Amino acid sequence: MRKGWIVATAAVGAGLSFVMVLVVGVYMVAGNLANGVGQGAVGLAKGSVPAAYRTLVQKWGNLCTAINPALLAAQLYQESGFNPDAKSPAAAQGIAQFIPGTWATHGIDGDGDGDRDVWDPNDAIPSAAKYDCTLAKYVKDAPGNPTENMLAAYNAGAYAVIKYGGVPPYKETQNYVKTITTLQESFAAPVGRVQPSQQAAGAIYFAQKKLGTLYLWGGNGTPEQGGRFDCSGLTKAAYETVGITLPRVANDQYNAGPHPGRDELLPGDLVFFSDDLTNSRAIRHVGIYVGGGYMINAPRTGAVIRFDAIDTPDYFGATRVTEDGAKALPTSV
């Protein structure tokens, strides 16, 4: 829940006019900007990896040329949501979700303390990187992109990659490769301007029609809820009107695309707030940026959907939502 807001009638009226100008303008901007996440040395986006694991991911994500820190982060997020205690029905364990047989063969003592503990991220994260690099060696002679071949080997086995001369024609494997390579953009620090989204204008248009609606914790805007929303319910509904399905909670919505800097924000970007500025998993609030330093958001119980300034001490960062980025997100982490 957020503190501080503007609610004067004149301000809201002026804001509506301001938003409508931006709704048109964002389409014009979308045609003029380019260059998404760049190639080359890959850093991690602010707070995208919890601070406790950031150094490990940055270090071990450079273990071999087939991986990078953002790709390793994407795998960990996909597997466990950075939860070191995660368990799966298939007996996968820990932050990297190793099954016991794979861990027995590929687990390493990453922190040099004399044991190999699948539940310890200091062992499991280095082991995940080493396993990726081992798979990359197995398929190094296969034609095609080495990283995509490594991911395909992770999903379908190295023999399938060798047999088919690259990513095999299995829908599950092809989807896995696309998911991880897309999701890595949410964890990489952009090296240039982040490409704008044309869907942003439609999301703003939906949100501005909800101004004045009373907040409801857990609200999804259903008739049974009186058309009321909470913060992430509003952003989810806004992007659904333009064909993009976001996760339900704010900290997962942060991973729905690359992250523009504060001076690069465009209308339609999602803006996030947290009491822990080092960990995207701790994000607790989200709004839709409309320009001029303001967002539309559903702030808290007892308040209405309104305009608020984004430049507060709890401002975490922003996400430029993409359709592929949203599709790449796991359904539950």
Side-chain angles (χ1 to χ4, degrees):
M1 271 65 78
R2 310 219 30 258
K3 298 179 181 178
W5 52 290
I6 60 172
V7 72
T9 302
V12 172
L16 285 172
S17 298
F18 180 52
V19 169
M20 293 313 295
V21 171
L22 290 167
V23 168
V24 176
V26 71
Y27 284 106
M28 298 173 64
V29 174
N32 295 326
L33 295 179
N35 300 324
V37 174
Q39 303 298 317
V42 177
L44 295 170
K46 172 192 171 184
S48 59
V49 175
Y53 312 130
R54 184 180 180 92
T55 299
L56 279 169
V57 172
Q58 187 69 54
K59 173 185 175 181
W60 289 91
N62 288 298
L63 184 63
C64 66
T65 57
I67 64 174
N68 63 65
L71 184 122
L72 179 58
Q75 288 182 297
L76 296 171
Y77 173 72
Q78 172 77 15
E79 295 293 340
S80 71
F82 299 108
N83 179 5
D85 301 316
K87 300 178 183 179
S88 83
Q93 301 174 333
I95 195 169
Q97 289 291 276
F98 277 98
I99 60 173
T102 304
W103 179 258
T105 304
H106 296 283
I108 65 172
D109 178 12
D111 56 5
D113 66 354
D115 69 358
R116 298 184 303 146
D117 184 356
V118 72
W119 302 106
D120 183 355
N122 292 295
D123 291 339
I125 292 174
S127 296
K130 181 178 180 295
Y131 183 44
D132 281 344
C133 293
T134 297
L135 291 173
K137 289 180 181 178
Y138 290 163
V139 298
K140 65 181 178 61
D141 295 327
N145 182 285
T147 296
E148 293 180 357
N149 288 342
M150 177 274 293
L151 290 170
Y154 185 98
N155 180 264
Y159 174 75
V161 176
I162 295 169
K163 175 182 177 181
Y164 287 101
V167 178
Y170 309 151
K171 184 175 181 180
E172 177 187 337
T173 302
Q174 292 174 344
N175 286 342
Y176 179 78
V177 171
K178 182 178 180 180
T179 292
I180 298 300
T181 54
T182 298
L183 191 57
Q184 73 173 322
E185 296 184 16
S186 295
F187 292 92
V191 296
R193 294 285 294 187
V194 179
Q195 185 174 358
S197 165
Q198 290 190 341
Q199 289 99 330
I204 294 173
Y205 179 69
F206 175 89
Q208 62 93 18
K209 291 192 296 182
K210 303 302 177 182
L211 287 165
T213 303
L214 193 64
Y215 176 98
L216 177 66
W217 174 261
N220 294 305
T222 64
E224 296 78 11
Q225 296 171 328
R228 296 158 65 189
F229 298 91
D230 64 10
C231 67
S232 54
L234 176 65
T235 52
K236 177 176 170 61
Y239 268 95
E240 280 180 347
T241 65
V242 291
I244 295 178
T245 300
L246 293 172
R248 179 59 181 83
V249 296
N251 61 5
D252 284 327
Q253 291 181 4
Y254 183 72
N255 296 310
H259 308 294
R262 172 63 185 86
D263 62 344
E264 299 174 334
L265 291 182
L266 292 175
D269 290 345
L270 296 185
V271 285
F272 297 88
F273 303 83
S274 177
D275 294 323
D276 181 354
L277 301 184
T278 69
N279 182 4
S280 66
R281 306 308 294 158
I283 286 171
R284 55 170 173 73
H285 187 67
V286 59
I288 301 178
Y289 188 65
V290 296
Y294 284 91
M295 65 179 170
I296 297 174
N297 72 134
R300 58 176 174 80
T301 300
V304 298
I305 295 174
R306 66 198 186 194
F307 295 101
D308 273 325
I310 71 166
D311 290 319
T312 58
D314 57 348
Y315 177 75
F316 183 90
T319 296
R320 189 151 297 154
V321 175
T322 68
E323 187 171 358
D324 284 344
K327 286 180 179 178
L329 296 174
T331 55
S332 62
V333 289

